[in-house]
Amino acid sequence: MPYSAAIGERFYIGHFGGIIINANAVIGNNCNISQGVTIGVSGIKEKRGVPSIGNNVYIGANAVVVGKINIGDGAVIGANSLVTKDVVSNTTVLGVPAIKINDHNSSEYI
């Protein structure tokens, strides 16, 4: 993990391996990520950038979160998902591309 990434307190990696975090990523407090997760740069022109991830976010195995997007507090990103758009707080997204599947938050995962 790059030292320049802004990572909050109590960051938890459940199973280390294959994790990529961009040097400009912002990750809030109490976040939990699994193996194979990518938090990276994507997009073109004014939409190019890296994610800003809120507090208490869970990111499942092999999920890819890229671009100048915001992941709201308490969000859940399901395993193997591709997230390229903002995720509303306290919701669960899943799929390629990721879509909202319910209003469950991350309280069971953190």
Side-chain angles (χ1 to χ4, degrees):
M1 277 183 271
Y3 72 91
S4 60
I7 299 174
E9 297 177 356
R10 295 172 299 280
F11 181 64
Y12 178 76
I13 298 173
H15 301 281
F16 182 77
I19 295 170
I20 298 170
I21 298 177
N22 184 278
N24 297 313
V26 176
I27 301 172
N29 295 324
N30 302 315
C31 290
N32 181 333
I33 67 172
S34 298
Q35 69 274 13
V37 168
T38 297
I39 300 172
V41 66
S42 186
I44 56 173
K45 297 188 180 182
E46 68 278 349
K47 293 188 178 187
R48 185 163 182 80
V50 296
S52 178
I53 298 172
N55 299 315
N56 304 308
V57 172
Y58 173 79
I59 304 176
N62 300 308
V64 176
V65 183
V66 292
K68 190 176 180 180
I69 60 174
N70 292 304
I71 308 301
D73 294 343
V76 174
I77 297 171
N80 299 307
S81 294
L82 172 61
V83 182
T84 60
K85 295 183 179 178
D86 291 348
V87 176
V88 178
S89 295
N90 299 308
T91 60
T92 297
V93 298
L94 180 67
V96 178
I99 59 170
K100 178 181 169 183
I101 60 167
N102 61 45
D103 291 318
H104 298 164
N105 67 25
S106 64
S107 62
E108 298 293 322
Y109 295 95
I110 303 297

